Amino acid sequence: MADIVSPLPGIFYRKPGPDKDPYAQEGDQIEAGQTVGVVEIMKQFSEIRSEVSGVLESFAVEDAGTVNPGEVIATVRES
């Protein structure tokens, strides 16, 4: 298992916009470098990407939830 952690504090969003589809969902096969969400701080959005390929097992943060640096956002089961 590999954890995707937040590099900065802010609000985590799973979708690029309110009427858009999520970047990735639990159970999805994802690739290394794939965006799984964004963290917003003061209207600046930073993409959060997986460093490994595998299955997105779970999110540890709700959509629009607050994150801190080093906090786990999601877990990937490497394949």
Side-chain angles (χ1 to χ4, degrees):
M1 295 286 201
D3 290 333
I4 301 172
V5 298
S6 180
L8 63 165
I11 306 296
F12 176 70
Y13 295 101
R14 295 184 190 178
K15 302 186 283 187
D19 56 345
K20 305 288 185 190
D21 290 332
Y23 288 103
Q25 298 189 60
E26 293 170 344
D28 285 358
Q29 178 72 35
I30 60 172
E31 301 300 322
Q34 182 174 333
T35 300
V36 298
V38 293
V39 171
E40 182 262 332
I41 181 170
M42 297 173 56
K43 303 296 178 199
Q44 296 287 324
F45 292 86
S46 298
E47 290 186 342
I48 304 300
R49 300 171 193 247
S50 178
E51 293 182 4
V52 298
S53 296
V55 175
L56 181 59
E57 283 288 308
S58 63
F59 281 101
V61 179
E62 291 299 317
D63 189 37
T66 303
V67 292
N68 293 303
E71 191 171 316
V72 174
I73 289 176
T75 302
V76 178
R77 180 170 25 96
E78 295 180 69
S79 56

